[in-house]
Amino acid sequence: MEITIAAADPADAGEVLTVQRAAFLAEGALNNSFTLPPLTETLDEVRAVLADPDTVVLVARLGHRLVGSVRARVAGRTGHIGRLAVAPDLQGQGLGRRLTTAVEEALAGRVDRFELFTGATSAANLRLYRGLGYVESGWGPGAAPVGITYLEKRV
């Protein structure tokens, strides 16, 4: 079965939240914090994001199963990418790369740069983003004690 990527539908909110929480449990363990926003976000908050006209939310499906998601919000000429989530049983197979590339393409012509962040100790995430052309642009405190690393990519 082939994985397809498309715009999320408001009816996807529950599945988006389920995959997001499953995906971010490992991130929480790695960064010694289970209070990361993707783990504490509510269903109503996900529904609000899906209804926001300034936010692009994409989902990946394997057949009828939602197996990944990503979102990006445009502010000025910057696309802020976040909540990249891939079902744990499919992580490490290139789906995160595909979702990130797809959301970049969805914002083509609307932004001059992309910005995102990940846990400072999230080596796999940092490797993924660097491989997609992102460069580290800073560090800051976050929900995790280890802090977060900011990355950006100019278009």
Side-chain angles (χ1 to χ4, degrees), residues 27-97:
E27 186 77 2
L30 181 63
N31 289 283
N32 198 29
S33 175
F34 292 98
T35 60
L36 302 175
L39 293 172
T40 61
E41 189 170 40
T42 68
L43 182 57
D44 285 340
E45 289 170 328
V46 173
R47 286 182 178 133
V49 167
L50 290 173
D52 181 354
D54 294 323
T55 302
V56 173
V57 181
L58 301 179
V59 294
R61 291 190 180 279
L62 179 58
H64 294 291
R65 178 182 169 211
L66 195 146
V67 295
S69 65
V70 66
R71 60 180 82 163
R73 180 164 175 67
V74 176
R77 297 288 300 170
T78 299
H80 297 273
I81 298 175
R83 302 289 202 278
L84 175 63
V86 174
D89 62 314
L90 295 176
Q91 290 176 4
Q93 298 180 34
L95 184 52
R97 175 179 292 276

